[in-house]
Amino acid sequence: QVQLVESGGGSVQAGDSLRLSCAASGGTFSTYAMGWFRQAPGKDREFVAAISWGGVSTSYGDSVKGRFTISRVNVKNTAYLQMNSLKPEDTARYYCAAALSWNKRKWEEYRYWGQGTQVTVSS
């Protein structure tokens, strides 16, 4: 089984930057496409970003385009989410996920999930 562990969340002010990490273990990292989702209390889980197996292709949710960047370093078994120009509406718990196929935008399409890391942005 694949285990995913997110880290890097915290409390920041609007306009600040934050870099989330997702460390994978228990499987061959390069065989999984990776995604990031977020969920705030009372809201649906929202697609944030996805990256293909080798990191060549990426996709983003409309609300984060131009501000967030997804990346991966397969030799480190780690995916990242660089978040710039953070806004209060970015406040949510952020989840890393792994899928066998690429370009999935629904949480149901991912096979493995991490426990999440909280990001809080104050104005």
Side-chain angles (χ1 to χ4, degrees):
Q1 300 298 107
V2 174
Q3 183 179 16
L4 305 175
V5 180
E6 301 94 333
S7 62
S11 297
V12 298
Q13 291 187 319
D16 285 351
S17 297
L18 209 56
R19 186 178 180 87
L20 306 183
S21 297
C22 173
S25 62
T28 303
F29 184 65
S30 61
T31 65
Y32 295 96
M34 302 298 296
W36 287 94
F37 290 77
R38 66 186 184 185
Q39 188 168 29
K43 296 183 178 180
D44 292 335
R45 189 166 296 184
E46 178 186 16
F47 171 76
V48 175
I51 189 166
S52 61
W53 306 269
V56 174
S57 300
T58 58
S59 64
Y60 297 92
D62 289 341
S63 63
V64 305
K65 287 182 178 178
R67 298 189 298 120
F68 290 10
T69 302
I70 188 172
S71 62
R72 66 191 297 165
V73 180
N74 284 350
V75 296
K76 295 183 178 181
N77 293 336
T78 303
Y80 304 93
L81 184 69
Q82 178 67 43
M83 305 183 293
N84 297 328
S85 301
L86 284 163
K87 305 174 181 179
E89 49 263 46
D90 294 320
T91 296
R93 191 166 184 86
Y94 284 72
Y95 297 89
C96 175
L100 290 175
S101 56
W102 149 240
N103 202 23
K104 303 299 183 182
R105 302 176 69 89
K106 297 182 180 295
W107 67 267
E108 298 92 342
E109 297 173 311
Y110 286 79
R111 180 167 297 192
Y112 301 105
W113 291 85
Q115 84 291 345
T117 185
Q118 180 67 36
V119 173
T120 302
V121 185
S122 60
S123 60

